[in-house]
Structure formats: structure tokens, C-alpha cells
Amino acid sequence: MLAKIEQLLQEVENITASNADELEALRIKYLSKKGAINALMADFRNVPAEQKKEVGMKLNELKNRAQERIAELKDAFDSKDTGAAELDLTRTAYPIELGTRHPLNIVRNEIIDIFGRMGFTIADGPEVEDDWHVFSSMNFAEDHPARDMQDTFFIESHPDIILRTHTSSVQSRVMEVSQPPIRVICPGRVYRNEAISYRAHCFFHQVEGLYIDKNVSFTDLKQVLLQFAQEMFGPETKIRLRPSYFPFTEPSAEMDISCDICGGKGCAFCKYTGWVEILGCGMVDPAVLEANGIDSKVYTGYAFGMGVERITNLKYKVKDLRMFSENDTRFLKEFESAN
Ligand code: PHE
């Protein structure tokens, strides 16, 4: 019996397991009710009385060593397991998919391209702005409703600092540091305090344009916008200008394009009018030129501004504005081929 115990002790010292199943098999082999050690325990009854002490001690040693060895091997697994627990199971399975350009960027780039070919350069400015560049320099009266808390995000402790509500602020910044001829477009993100729904968000993207020179007329504006509409929506596209009001332009207009779903016949998309609105525009109000250091007796100019979301909705028939900011890759991947 002693020899048998010695042999098992040797065996137990050398056990190895390369996975949890193997380890469990070892536990069953040595330590379970029907295991080798229990079998020896059962035989212990038959050990002659004078050997009982020695055999008993050896048997206990064997049992302890077996338990220790199994625990050691288990520890080795557990420390490997911590590595496994750090695995990010939400990660995309290999191979990691390539990203695609965001639909708003695709359309913004297209707008920039079209105006770039007509000689417009890009101007940029801060999203956190002051009242002067967003409103005052743009001829907004002191009590104009657009300054109201409902539309504009203010910084509580600094009522003069706001999130820009349009990129006209960039036009103001361009005018204050340069003299005509000025021909710029101002793409960028703007913020308005609106309840988020399928048709409004608290931020969106604009491209505004400004052209100032001698003898710039409304005809120039109309031609540039027609060219833009036909490049963006197809050569058959017609435009229509409706009188409107903006504090910074006089006269002001809103531009519609012929509905490209029904070809102008009238459908649910254009609310049976045959037209859909795409932008605001007008001749720069002389008061704006003067406020920004440009002589309104010498120069005239036009300005226009459009929402990139709106243009993207029309081009790709996206019904819910929120899709643009939810980062749902199933939606974003639909624009892969437009890249
Ligand atoms: N700034 C206007 C807006 O945010 C758009 C616009 C720009 C209209 C230039 C006319 C001329 O709604």
C-alpha cells in the first residue's frame, strides 16, 4: 500500500493540464468519490494496526498534495481567464470593416466642388462665436426674435458668447479682414435650440456663400444658383425664387427647385406643388457692408445659405434627420458607393 501511495504521489507531482476539461478529468481521477485516493482510503481498513500511523500520514500527504496540485493548475487557468475577460465581445468580428464617408460630408464636398469650379474659395470660422459676428454685424435689430433664447444657445455666464446659429458669422469675419472682390463659401456646423425630431435637430450643417464686387447684381446670383441646382440635381432642374425676408439681405428670396421625384407634376414628396425649397438668398444689405467695413457706395454683393441636411435629404430621400447623427453603420454603409 505504501508503494502504491508513493507511486501516486509521484504521478500527482507531474500532472499537467492544458485546458479546463483535462483538469476536471484529473480531479475526477484522483479526488472524486470513486477516485484513486478514495479507493486507498477504503483499503485503509485492511492496513495492519502497526502500520496504520505511517500509512495514514502518507495517505493524508497524498490527498493534500493532489488537492494543492489541482488548485495550482486551476490558478494557472484562472489567470489566463482574466485575459479572456478583457476581450471586448461587442467588437466587430474580424475582418474589421472599413469606414465610409458620411453622407453629409459627401454632399458638402460636392457643394464645395461645384462652387469651387465657379471661383469660390472656402472660409472657416469658430462655432463658439460672439453676438457681433452672428447677429449685430448682420443687421439683426436688438430685439430680433432670432436672438431669443429659444433659437440661440447662450453661455450662461457670458450672454455675449453664443453658439453660431448660421455661418453668416464667417462672412462677417471675412469682410472685416478683406476688401472686395470677395468670393467665398462658408461650410460649417451651426446650432439652434430646437426640439429634436425627424425634421429638426439642435445642430445642423450649412454652406453659405458671399460674393462682393463692383456691379454685382441679382442676375449674377440667379445664374450662379441655377448652375448650382443643375449640377447638384441634374440638368433638367428648374429653379424658382420667391420673395422672402432676412435681416442681412435686401431684396431677399427663397429658392425652390423643381421636384425631381415627379418632375414638377406634383407628388406627396413636394406636397403636390411641384417645387421643394432648398435655400435662402438675396443682395447683401448695404447696412451689412458698412458694418463690416466695406463701402456700400462702391460695392454690391449677394449672399446665399443652404442646409446640407436638406440638400442630402432631397438627393438621397432620407426622411429622418436624426439618421445623420446616430452613427448607425447600416445607414452609413448605404452611401458607400457614393464615396
Ligand atoms: N443665414 C441664413 C440662415 O441661416 C441663410 C441665408 C444666408 C439667407 C444668406 C440669405 C442669405 O437661415
Side-chain angles (χ1 to χ4, degrees), residues 140 165-168 171 190 192 204 206-209 246 248-249 252-253 279-282 302-306:
F140 280 77
T165 58
H166 55 181
T167 59
S168 300
Q171 303 186 0
V190 300
R192 288 183 198 177
F204 61 98
Q206 280 191 327
V207 177
E208 293 211 356
F246 298 104
F248 32 87
T249 46
S252 304
L279 56 81
C281 61
Y302 63 69
F304 56 85
M306 67 189 86

Side-chain angles (χ1 to χ4, degrees), residues 28-318:
I28 291 169
K29 181 173 175 195
Y30 294 106
L31 290 169
S32 69
K33 256 195 189 146
K34 294 188 174 159
I37 295 175
N38 250 3
L40 288 175
M41 295 281 188
D43 274 354
F44 188 65
R45 274 185 274 134
N46 309 325
V47 172
E50 66 278 9
Q51 286 181 23
K52 267 208 154 76
K53 190 175 171 201
E54 192 189 356
V55 173
M57 276 166 62
K58 267 279 173 219
L59 203 49
N60 271 337
E61 188 190 334
L62 171 64
K63 191 175 175 188
N64 291 338
R65 265 319 276 159
Q67 282 171 343
E68 275 168 27
R69 288 287 299 142
I70 299 265
E72 275 168 27
L73 291 175
K74 185 166 185 313
D75 274 356
F77 279 123
D78 284 351
S79 55
K80 268 190 209 146
D81 278 356
T82 22
E86 279 162 14
L87 271 183
D88 179 1
L89 296 178
T90 63
R91 215 197 72 175
T92 331
Y94 185 84
I96 297 166
E97 290 178 45
L98 281 179
T100 56
R101 228 178 266 286
H102 194 282
L104 293 179
N105 285 346
I106 295 172
V107 170
R108 184 202 55 193
N109 290 349
E110 208 173 330
I111 297 171
I112 290 174
D113 267 7
I114 294 170
F115 284 107
R117 287 195 291 275
M118 293 193 265
F120 287 79
T121 53
I122 297 176
D124 201 5
E127 293 179 13
V128 181
E129 259 293 5
D130 51 30
D131 180 277
W132 168 258
H133 290 99
V134 178
F135 293 133
S136 297
S137 71
M138 284 290 138
N139 201 33
F140 280 77
E142 210 50 62
D143 54 357
H144 193 282
R147 293 178 183 235
D148 199 296
M149 300 289 274
Q150 305 224 324
D151 291 314
T152 309
F153 286 111
F154 289 82
I155 309 293
E156 225 171 314
S157 51
H158 296 85
D160 186 47
I161 307 292
I162 57 182
L163 294 180
R164 67 182 180 194
T165 58
H166 55 181
T167 59
S168 300
S169 54
V170 182
Q171 303 186 0
S172 169
R173 284 185 177 276
V174 170
M175 286 188 269
E176 75 186 2
V177 296
S178 44
Q179 284 296 311
I182 291 171
R183 185 151 44 181
V184 291
I185 47 171
C186 318
R189 182 175 289 177
V190 300
Y191 301 83
R192 288 183 198 177
N193 192 1
E194 305 229 21
I196 296 170
S197 73
Y198 75 97
R199 54 197 292 263
H201 213 299
C202 58
F203 66 82
F204 61 98
H205 301 79
Q206 280 191 327
V207 177
E208 293 211 356
L210 175 71
Y211 179 37
I212 306 171
D213 204 346
K214 286 176 182 153
N215 300 319
V216 176
S217 72
F218 203 95
T219 322
D220 299 319
L221 170 62
K222 199 172 167 188
Q223 182 56 38
V224 159
L225 294 180
L226 175 65
Q227 182 70 25
F228 165 72
Q230 294 188 335
E231 286 205 39
M232 193 65 173
F233 295 101
E236 305 302 319
T237 310
K238 295 187 191 61
I239 64 166
R240 171 173 92 167
L241 290 158
R242 283 178 290 103
S244 184
Y245 171 78
F246 298 104
F248 32 87
T249 46
E250 184 57 40
S252 304
E254 273 168 319
M255 187 175 98
D256 299 337
I257 56 165
S258 50
C259 177
D260 70 338
I261 292 189
C262 60
K265 285 194 207 73
C267 66
F269 188 77
C270 59
K271 301 197 185 80
Y272 302 97
T273 62
W275 298 95
V276 285
E277 185 199 319
I278 67 161
L279 56 81
C281 61
M283 299 306 293
V284 181
D285 193 305
V288 171
L289 296 176
E290 293 296 333
N292 290 285
I294 288 169
D295 189 344
S296 66
K297 288 186 205 67
V298 181
Y299 297 109
T300 50
Y302 63 69
F304 56 85
M306 67 189 86
V308 180
E309 278 80 351
R310 174 103 188 118
I311 307 282
T312 312
N313 283 352
L314 290 174
K315 222 177 141 81
Y316 294 106
K317 314 294 179 282
V318 178

